[in-house]
Amino acid sequence: MAKKLYVGNLPYTTTEQELRDMFSQVGEIADLAVITDRYTGQSKGFAFVEMASDDAAQEAISRFDGQMLGNRAMVVNEARPREDRGDRRGGGGGRDRY
């Protein structure tokens, strides 16, 4: 069964291909996404890597958590489910004008 990993504290220059090359050393990758800012396209410094098996995910955590990439120690752990953030339409007082 596939397991999704959170990979954080990445240099902003990290590419999907770099992560794919790294994580494929421990097993098959089901999915991989470097999270980017929607307006600038720049990396936000984290990614999600979905490993095809639980064993490969555990190996990736033990092998890469704390490993240096660029000048940063990566954080690799099991991803938590996304929290519901509620209504994100923003402020403005909510007053109707007639």
Side-chain angles (χ1 to χ4, degrees):
M1 180 176 190
K3 184 169 282 197
K4 188 177 267 191
L5 302 176
Y6 166 82
V7 183
N9 201 34
L10 296 172
Y12 295 122
T13 58
T14 304
T15 65
E16 285 190 14
Q17 189 60 51
E18 285 178 282
L19 290 177
R20 191 169 298 282
D21 292 345
M22 180 182 296
F23 281 82
S24 66
Q25 296 174 24
V26 296
E28 182 183 345
I29 298 170
D31 192 29
L32 187 146
V34 173
I35 306 305
T36 58
D37 181 270
R38 78 174 72 184
Y39 301 110
T40 66
Q42 181 181 9
S43 167
K44 289 189 171 189
F46 68 97
F48 291 100
V49 178
E50 189 172 348
M51 301 302 292
S53 72
D54 289 348
D55 290 340
Q58 288 305 315
E59 175 66 21
I61 291 169
S62 64
R63 186 165 173 184
F64 299 127
D65 186 42
Q67 179 175 321
M68 296 300 287
L69 181 61
N71 59 348
R72 295 175 163 221
M74 290 190 301
V75 174
V76 181
N77 52 39
E78 190 172 337
R80 295 187 300 253
R82 186 173 183 164
E83 295 177 5
D84 181 20
R85 297 186 198 181
D87 188 4
R88 296 192 54 180
R89 289 184 287 181
R95 294 180 294 231
D96 289 330
R97 295 181 185 213
Y98 294 99

